[in-house]
Amino acid sequence: GKFAVIMLTFLFVDFFDTVGTLVGVASRANMLDENGNVPNVGRALLVDAIGTTLGSLLGVSTVTTYVESSTGVAAGGRTGYTAITTGILFLIAMFFSPLFVAIPSCATAPALIYVGYLMLGAVKNIEFDNITEGVPAFLTIATMALTYSIGDGLTIGILSYVTINIIYNLFAKDKEKKTKVCLVMIILAIVFIFKLMFI
C-alpha cells in the first residue's frame, strides 16, 4: 500500500510537470493547434515516460522535459538537433563538473528568472475578463510560484477550473454563455481530489 502511494505521487508529479512544460514550451514555439492543444502529445509523453523509466533504472535524476527548453526555443531551436546538441554539451560538461559545482546557485538564478519571463509571455492570451478562464489561470500561476511546483499549480488550476465552470453553468441564465467542461477535466478533478485527500 505504501509503495502504491509513493508510485502514484511520483506519477502525478512527473506527469503534470511534463504536461505543463510541454504546453508552455509549445506555446512559446507557436506549435499549438487552433484549439490550443499540443500536436502529437501522445508521442511526446511516451518519449518522456521512456526517458524517466530508463533514467531511474540507471540511477540518475529524472530524465524529463524542462521549462528551460523555452530558452532554446526562443533562441530558434525547434527540432531534435537542439536536444542532441544539448546532450553532447552535457556529456562534455561532465568532465568539468567539479568546476560547475563550485558555482553558487545565486549565480544561476538570473537564467531561471529569464526562463520564467519567457514562459510568462503566454499570459497575454488569457481571457482575464472571463471569470471561468481568468481565475483558474491566475490560481495556476500563483500556486506554481508559491509552491515551487508545476504539478501543484496544475492541480489547483484544474480543480478551480472545473469547480468554477460547474457553478457558473448552474447559475448562468444565457445558454450561450455556458461553458462546456470536458469529461477528461472532470475525471482529472476527481483524481486530484483523491490525491489531495489520500496522498
Side-chain angles (χ1 to χ4, degrees), residues 44-129:
L45 291 174
L46 178 63
V47 169
D48 184 78
I50 292 169
T52 302
T53 305
L54 290 177
S56 63
L57 290 173
L58 294 171
V60 299
S61 60
T62 309
V63 179
T64 185
T65 52
Y66 287 97
V67 292
E68 287 81 356
S69 302
S70 61
T71 311
V73 168
R78 294 166 190 264
T79 66
Y81 292 119
T82 311
I84 292 169
T85 304
T86 305
I88 292 168
L89 291 173
F90 268 112
L91 193 62
I92 295 168
M94 278 192 336
F95 299 104
F96 300 99
S97 61
L99 180 66
F100 296 141
V101 170
I103 299 171
S105 58
C106 61
T108 59
L112 294 176
I113 291 169
Y114 182 68
V115 169
Y117 161 75
L118 292 175
M119 297 294 288
L120 211 56
V123 171
K124 66 180 181 294
N125 300 323
I126 299 172
E127 298 176 35
F128 281 108
D129 55 341

Side-chain angles (χ1 to χ4, degrees), residues 106-191:
C106 61
T108 59
L112 294 176
I113 291 169
Y114 182 68
V115 169
Y117 161 75
L118 292 175
M119 297 294 288
L120 211 56
V123 171
K124 66 180 181 294
N125 300 323
I126 299 172
E127 298 176 35
F128 281 108
D129 55 341
N130 181 355
I131 193 170
T132 61
E133 298 286 333
V135 172
F138 166 74
L139 289 173
T140 303
I141 294 166
T143 305
M144 284 182 190
L146 295 172
T147 63
Y148 300 103
S149 170
I150 293 174
D152 289 345
L154 288 172
T155 299
I156 297 300
I158 290 172
L159 283 173
S160 62
Y161 178 82
V162 171
T163 305
I164 290 170
N165 277 281
I166 288 173
I167 292 170
Y168 184 82
N169 289 341
L170 287 173
F171 294 102
K173 295 177 182 177
D174 190 358
K175 289 184 178 180
E176 292 181 2
K177 289 187 176 180
K178 290 186 177 184
T179 54
K180 184 181 178 184
V181 182
C182 68
L183 183 63
V184 174
M185 292 292 280
I186 294 171
I187 292 170
L188 282 174
I190 293 167
V191 168

